[in-house]
Amino acid sequence: KTLSEAGFGTREREVLGDFGHAYFSGQYVRHTNHFASHLLRLVENEEAGSKAELVRDGGAILLGIAAHDFRGLAACIAGALYHHRVAVSQAHLFSAAKHGLALDFFHLATGQALPRDLTAAVQDALQRKLYIAESDAASLPPLSGSFQLDGTERGGYCLRHETVSEISGLLYALTYKVFHHLSGSIHGLSAYTSRGSTYVTVHLTLPSNRSLAEAQQIVEREFRSDDA
């Protein structure tokens, strides 16, 4: 179903269409109605805050976040979930680069008691840019497993990580290290588990003065924890 057929106006279609094919060909397009009006508000008002909302997807509960995109946003969200002990089973992050927007979805693991203030805590983390200070490095969970950083045909970069660790902690550690050690900007992320392993793919850009070879050396040196 096209955005026009779904009843969205011209301006809404322009903003939402910026999220691209990966978003509209996936499972999250059905939740567009929950966030469309707020995404438009974010475009029209730079001072507007983020919106975090719990939505149901069949038997699953998703945390959806619509926000102004900024470098470190993914680590703020993942850090909030980690520090509030919220387990995640999947995560998918989307960006609309032209409009500077992010629309992210986290599948919350079943069978856990969620904090009553979870959405408010996430919104506060984004507003105050929590969990991404240099001092937060001391509380990062360890990373283990394999890391592979490659260039893409479109001039960006793709970081792939495979591990047996659970998603919640590793998402925080991984996105934090992309932010701090690579000085990277995350434009897309997917994470899921299968047969006891966790797979994370991060699409990012690097500073213009950082080569792929240098970035690969940083990943090898800084991403795997010494005790992992």
Side-chain angles (χ1 to χ4, degrees):
K1 179 182 287 187
T2 66
L3 290 172
S4 180
E5 291 171 338
F8 292 109
T10 302
R11 182 58 169 157
E12 291 172 318
R13 295 199 302 271
E14 177 189 351
V15 172
L16 295 172
D18 194 21
F19 285 98
H21 177 75
Y23 174 74
F24 287 101
S25 62
Q27 67 187 99
Y28 302 105
V29 67
R30 73 188 71 173
H31 302 296
T32 301
N33 283 335
H34 287 279
F35 301 99
S37 61
H38 193 75
L39 288 167
L40 192 61
R41 189 176 303 119
L42 290 170
V43 172
E44 296 172 343
N45 181 6
E46 294 184 359
E47 301 301 320
S50 61
K51 176 181 180 178
E53 185 174 324
L54 297 175
V55 296
R56 288 199 170 272
D57 190 286
I61 297 178
L62 312 184
L63 173 66
I65 302 108
H68 289 294
D69 201 2
F70 61 87
R71 203 173 72 80
L73 176 140
C76 285
I77 300 171
L81 294 174
Y82 175 72
H83 283 283
H84 285 79
R85 300 182 180 181
V86 176
V88 176
S89 60
Q90 290 186 57
H92 296 270
L93 282 60
F94 304 92
S95 67
K98 180 180 177 181
H99 293 91
L101 300 176
L103 183 57
D104 304 337
F105 294 93
F106 294 78
H107 295 237
L108 307 184
T110 59
Q112 64 179 321
L114 298 176
R116 291 184 177 180
D117 62 344
L118 177 59
T119 56
V122 171
Q123 290 173 171
D124 182 57
L126 291 175
Q127 180 180 356
R128 298 167 57 197
K129 297 187 177 181
L130 301 179
Y131 310 116
I132 57 174
E134 289 188 9
S135 58
D136 290 312
S139 66
L140 288 178
L143 285 175
S144 62
S146 64
F147 300 86
Q148 181 176 340
L149 178 66
D150 297 302
T152 67
E153 294 181 354
R154 296 186 176 183
Y157 300 88
C158 180
L159 175 64
R160 293 181 175 86
H161 176 46
E162 180 180 346
T163 182
V164 294
S165 301
E166 60 92 22
I167 286 182
S168 302
L170 78 86
L171 275 184
Y172 178 36
L174 192 63
T175 55
Y176 179 96
K177 292 190 175 192
V178 167
F179 173 69
H180 271 283
H181 295 301
L182 289 178
S183 299
S185 298
I186 295 174
H187 301 295
L189 182 151
S190 64
Y192 67 94
T193 57
S194 178
R195 298 180 180 180
S197 293
T198 298
Y199 304 88
V200 184
T201 301
V202 182
H203 296 280
L204 64 142
T205 55
L206 295 172
S208 59
N209 61 349
R210 175 152 290 159
S211 68
L212 174 59
E214 179 188 1
Q216 289 171 330
Q217 291 175 356
I218 293 172
V219 169
E220 180 63 27
R221 182 176 67 247
E222 302 289 351
F223 277 52
R224 187 176 290 102
S225 304
D226 293 336
D227 57 350

